[in-house]
Amino acid sequence: LGVYNTIPSIDWQVLSIVNSNIIQQQLNDIMNSFIFAMTIGGVLIILASLFFSRVFSQSVEKLKNGTIELQKGNYDYRIEIHRNDEFGQLSNAFNEMAMKLKESYDKLKNTTNELLMNNDQLQEMNIELEASYEQLQATTDQLNESETKYRVLIENMHDMVFVIDSEFKVTFVNDQVEKILGYKKEYFMAKDIKSLEHVCEGISDWGRSTKTTENYNKSQVVKFKSKDGKIILFEINSKDIYENQQFIGIQGVARDVTKRVQMEKEILKRNRELLTINKISMTLNNTMELKSMLQNCVDDISSMLEIPLCSIRLLEENNNLELMGYAGQLSHSIINRGISLDDDVMGEVIRTGEIIEFNVNDREFITPFNKNVLESDVANYSKIFPLKVRGNIVGTLTVSTKEQFSESDTSIITSLCNAIATNIENINLYQNLKKNYIKTIKTLAAAVEAKDKYTQGHSLRVSKYAVMIAEHANLSKEFCEEIEVAGILHDIGKIGISDQILTKPGKLTELEYKLITEHPMIGNRILRNVGFSEIIMNALKYHHKRYDLKGYPYYENIDELPIEACIIGVADAFDAMTSSRAYKTAMTFNDAIQELKGNKGTQFHPKIVDAMIEIFNKDEEVLREIALTKTVAS
């Protein structure tokens, strides 16, 4: 029989060889001995078991019951075995174990209660955390959504958005900068704004001027230059950013307002043109005095269109262009005398009726009349417009400016020239009509005065005295023109009075005097349908009414004597007193003035008498020249 054995420490294998017969004999002997011993032992054990089973059964029963009670959870159960053997020790061990289990149970119970309480709190906290988490998640989602929207907004908006830090370096600019200015946004990143002066005019001063006041907001229009040299106007709205009262940078939005600014300028220009046209239209309608109207026009054109020089010349019968009005910064350069049509380029405009524009370099158009203007630093261009009406050229309007005329400026001045030319014709027609009108009423007055050689020239003298009084009282020009006509016509009613009464050298009878007193109302009836103004008709009716409202016409009751009647009344009395009649000799001027003074406040208006006295003291010679007038017809 061979047996292998391994020695692990050295990993050797040992082979032991023994005779198998010897081994078999030894095994048989051992088996016989073992069987005998087992038989004896089994008998002894059965006997012993029978002896001790009764002794141990009670103790085992108690241990069994104790174990059952522990299984039920009765940790207060105790085993009563008072012995010194193993069962006594086992009983003590059981009781000690039950006591420790009781303590452990109590501790575990308390711990469980605490854990349950903590678990409730944890559940509440968990619920709150879940709610907070949901809110946080919602907030995060909103922030993400807002960030997305903000990013999309910034990326797609047409305006430039920029951020500058506290060191005035660009930290952000959106993609629009490339579309608008032609520069990639990387070109601006991390650059000090001082280095960007070639892109934005004055950006260095603009940026640093913001670091002055916390929460400073700024809005202004800034000029930018694109990569290709194009000028673009941006309206920049920026805000200084502060954190803990420390300046940390600037945020801003820049919007291209080039077209808007151009439109605003165009609107302002158009508005200015409309204002000019309206104002000049009002000027044209405000006066019928030619020179005054033309001067007002050039004043308005020069000031409202900001033209350094504007002048108007009219063509006279001697074929000279006479200066009628001029205005502007270069007014001192104007030559204030007539210009022959052959001496200046204006003659070419009169001959052709075409607009001529030239500048200081067009030597063929330079004349002594425009040389000083064109060679000044204020104006280098001149443009001459014909004043044309109904195919007739009546004059020229010349404007001189620093820059070349725009199509708009040319259009507006052309329109004004047409309006001015039309008004010139209207004023000339009005003046001719007025002259004929005055001639007509003078003829009417002459027809009355022809009846009596002593009254010849009376109406014209009264008219001249009345105009002097009205002008001295600073009454309007229109009123003075009306009072002139009223003076000429004031006695027109005498045409209905008999020659015998008018020329009677002696005292008039009561009836004759009554007939004489009817001449104001006769004149009123003659002229009331002609269309004369109320001023003329009042003077006609009430020039014999006294200031205290006595006098004739007696049956005309009025509350206050019109000022025009007061003026004609004083002028009529003064001429009557200083003129000879068939029944009296003329007073001296001094005596007539004293007579007016004596009746001031009763027969005559006090202020009108005072005016007549002041005229006498100042212009006595003029009054004496008027007194020599003997006829009204001319």
Side-chain angles (χ1 to χ4, degrees):
L1 178 65
V3 179
Y4 280 97
N5 291 300
T6 301
I7 303 175
S9 60
I10 58 176
D11 201 23
W12 285 5
Q13 290 182 335
V14 179
L15 177 62
S16 300
I17 301 172
V18 182
N19 190 317
S20 60
N21 293 327
I22 297 172
I23 294 171
Q24 185 65 43
Q25 181 64 40
Q26 288 177 349
L27 287 174
N28 290 335
D29 291 342
I30 291 171
M31 281 298 292
N32 292 331
S33 299
F34 176 75
I35 292 170
F36 176 78
M38 285 297 292
T39 301
I40 298 298
V43 173
L44 291 174
I45 289 171
I46 292 170
L47 293 173
S49 296
L50 292 172
F51 175 78
F52 286 109
S53 62
R54 191 170 181 181
V55 175
F56 293 142
S57 61
Q58 292 180 351
S59 297
V60 171
E61 185 68 26
K62 289 182 179 180
L63 289 172
K64 173 186 169 185
N65 294 334
T67 302
I68 292 171
E69 290 296 324
L70 288 178
Q71 287 178 347
K72 292 180 179 179
N74 183 7
Y75 300 112
D76 294 326
Y77 185 82
R78 299 291 183 269
I79 299 175
E80 300 294 336
I81 300 177
H82 302 287
R83 295 171 59 175
N84 293 325
D85 55 8
E86 287 81 355
F87 283 104
Q89 293 176 358
L90 185 59
S91 173
N92 292 334
F94 177 86
N95 291 334
E96 185 177 351
M97 182 187 67
M99 184 179 65
K100 289 182 177 179
L101 285 173
K102 172 67 173 175
E103 292 176 356
S104 297
Y105 173 76
D106 291 339
K107 289 181 180 179
L108 180 61
K109 185 177 180 181
N110 292 333
T111 302
T112 301
N113 291 332
E114 291 178 359
L115 288 174
L116 289 173
M117 186 181 298
N118 291 335
N119 182 62
D120 292 339
Q121 294 177 350
L122 287 173
Q123 287 290 348
E124 294 176 359
M125 292 177 63
N126 185 54
I127 293 172
E128 292 179 359
L129 286 173
E130 287 181 355
S132 298
Y133 175 77
E134 291 175 357
Q135 292 178 353
L136 180 61
Q137 185 66 37
T139 302
T140 303
D141 292 341
Q142 290 176 355
L143 288 174
N144 290 334
E145 184 180 357
S146 298
E147 182 182 356
T148 302
K149 289 181 178 179
Y150 175 74
R151 183 175 63 254
V152 172
L153 175 64
I154 294 299
E155 291 175 353
N156 292 279
M157 69 188 303
H158 295 292
D159 300 335
M160 288 195 312
V161 180
F162 62 89
V163 179
I164 300 172
D165 64 14
S166 59
E167 300 300 323
F168 296 100
K169 293 182 178 180
V170 179
T171 60
F172 173 80
V173 63
N174 66 342
D175 294 335
Q176 289 300 320
V177 68
E178 183 175 356
K179 296 180 181 178
I180 299 175
L181 296 178
Y183 295 96
K184 292 187 177 296
K185 65 180 182 180
E186 289 77 14
Y187 178 79
F188 297 92
M189 299 302 292
K191 283 191 176 181
D192 190 300
I193 59 176
K194 288 191 298 184
S195 65
L196 299 174
E197 285 282 352
H198 64 288
V199 178
C200 179
E201 182 179 301
I203 190 173
S204 178
D205 295 336
W206 166 76
R208 281 162 174 76
S209 69
T210 63
K211 192 176 177 181
T212 55
T213 307
E214 188 169 347
N215 295 325
Y216 179 74
N217 292 286
K218 193 173 189 179
S219 178
Q220 64 181 127
V221 175
V222 180
K223 185 184 294 184
F224 278 72
K225 182 183 288 186
S226 66
K227 193 174 183 179
D228 59 4
K230 182 181 177 182
I231 299 300
I232 303 174
L233 298 177
F234 280 94
E235 182 181 63
I236 296 182
N237 293 287
S238 62
K239 179 180 178 64
D240 292 354
I241 308 302
Y242 285 81
E243 187 175 286
N244 297 326
Q245 297 184 342
Q246 293 294 320
F247 174 76
I248 62 172
I250 306 168
Q251 293 178 347
V253 176
R255 173 167 294 179
D256 183 355
V257 294
T258 307
K259 291 183 179 179
R260 190 190 79 188
V261 171
Q262 290 173 348
M263 289 180 64
E264 288 175 351
K265 287 183 178 179
E266 186 65 22
I267 290 172
L268 289 174
K269 183 178 180 181
R270 294 295 181 187
N271 184 58
R272 183 186 63 176
E273 292 173 356
L274 289 173
L275 288 174
T276 302
I277 292 174
N278 290 336
K279 191 171 190 304
I280 292 177
S281 297
M282 292 177 62
T283 298
L284 294 174
N285 296 324
N286 280 342
T287 178
M288 295 303 289
E289 201 283 311
L290 184 62
K291 193 171 182 64
S292 175
M293 182 273 290
L294 295 177
Q295 183 60 49
N296 291 338
C297 286
V298 295
D299 286 339
D300 292 341
I301 293 173
S302 176
S303 62
M304 300 190 74
L305 297 181
E306 299 178 356
I307 293 176
L309 182 62
C310 179
S311 63
I312 291 178
R313 291 180 180 269
L314 294 186
L315 185 62
E316 299 295 333
E317 292 181 356
N318 58 4
N319 281 335
N320 278 352
L321 287 165
E322 297 295 336
L323 185 65
M324 300 298 290
Y326 58 95
Q329 186 178 349
L330 293 175
S331 293
H332 62 278
S333 301
I334 204 81
I335 295 178
N336 192 3
R337 63 180 176 84
I339 298 177
S340 171
L341 296 184
D342 297 326
D343 293 340
D344 191 81
V345 64
M346 282 186 262
E348 185 67 17
V349 174
I350 294 292
R351 286 188 290 270
T352 64
E354 301 294 330
I355 299 172
I356 292 181
E357 181 179 1
F358 55 96
N359 60 43
V360 68
N361 297 318
D362 299 324
R363 306 311 302 178
E364 70 272 22
F365 294 119
I366 305 301
T367 70
F369 299 100
N370 58 39
K371 185 174 185 296
N372 291 337
V373 174
L374 291 176
E375 292 180 352
S376 69
D377 293 331
V378 180
N380 300 128
Y381 289 84
S382 283
K383 201 162 191 173
I384 305 174
F385 297 81
L387 296 176
K388 188 187 303 183
V389 59
R390 302 182 189 279
N392 297 319
I393 299 174
V394 297
T396 61
L397 184 146
T398 303
V399 287
S400 300
T401 60
K402 182 69 175 177
E403 304 295 335
Q404 192 170 7
F405 286 87
S406 67
E407 184 177 343
S408 174
D409 289 336
T410 300
S411 176
I412 187 174
I413 294 177
T414 300
S415 298
L416 292 175
C417 286
N418 292 335
I420 291 170
T422 300
N423 212 57
I424 289 172
E425 182 185 48
N426 291 338
I427 289 177
N428 287 334
L429 291 173
Y430 170 77
Q431 294 297 342
N432 290 333
L433 183 63
K434 182 180 177 182
K435 288 178 182 178
N436 292 331
Y437 168 72
I438 296 297
K439 284 182 180 179
T440 300
I441 61 174
K442 284 181 178 179
T443 301
L444 289 174
V448 176
E449 295 176 359
K451 296 182 177 184
D452 185 1
K453 65 178 181 178
Y454 292 103
T455 61
Q456 290 181 358
H458 167 70
S459 295
L460 184 57
R461 291 194 297 271
V462 170
S463 176
K464 291 182 178 182
Y465 292 145
V467 170
M468 289 185 71
I469 294 170
E471 289 177 343
H472 186 82
N474 293 320
L475 297 174
S476 69
K477 184 175 181 180
E478 290 75 14
F479 183 90
C480 293
E481 291 176 351
E482 295 291 298
I483 206 72
E484 178 184 10
V485 175
I488 294 172
L489 293 176
H490 77 286
D491 274 344
I492 193 68
K494 287 183 178 180
I495 199 169
I497 306 298
S498 170
D499 295 350
Q500 288 80 9
I501 297 175
L502 291 175
T503 59
K504 184 177 180 178
K507 184 177 179 180
L508 298 176
T509 66
E510 183 177 348
L511 177 61
E512 290 171 339
Y513 179 75
K514 184 178 180 182
L515 291 174
I516 286 288
T517 62
E518 288 294 321
H519 80 271
M521 297 309 297
I522 295 173
N524 179 64
R525 288 193 294 272
I526 293 173
L527 299 179
R528 64 186 174 188
N529 295 322
V530 175
F532 285 113
S533 69
E534 187 178 7
I535 292 174
I536 294 174
M537 298 308 294
N538 283 339
L540 201 71
K541 284 196 295 183
Y542 302 125
H543 67 278
H544 282 294
K545 203 79 167 171
R546 293 160 52 102
Y547 179 68
D548 56 13
L549 300 181
K550 296 178 182 179
Y552 57 88
Y554 303 107
Y555 46 84
E556 284 282 326
N557 295 320
I558 55 177
D559 296 328
E560 182 180 1
L561 190 64
I563 189 67
E564 53 268 23
C566 296
I567 292 173
I568 296 297
V570 169
D572 184 35
F574 183 78
D575 185 69
M577 288 186 289
T578 56
S579 299
S580 296
R581 292 290 186 267
Y583 52 86
K584 75 172 188 68
T585 58
M587 283 187 183
T588 64
F589 276 24
N590 287 328
D591 290 341
I593 291 295
Q594 294 302 318
E595 188 69 20
L596 292 176
K597 281 184 181 181
N599 291 280
K600 184 171 72 170
T602 54
Q603 184 176 352
F604 305 114
H605 194 301
K607 290 185 178 180
I608 303 303
V609 172
D610 291 341
M612 191 66 191
I613 294 171
E614 291 172 6
I615 291 170
F616 172 74
N617 293 333
K618 181 180 178 181
D619 297 315
E620 182 180 354
E621 291 302 318
V622 176
L623 294 179
R624 293 190 181 279
E625 289 178 7
I626 294 174
L628 298 176
T629 304
K630 297 299 181 182
T631 180
V632 294
S634 61

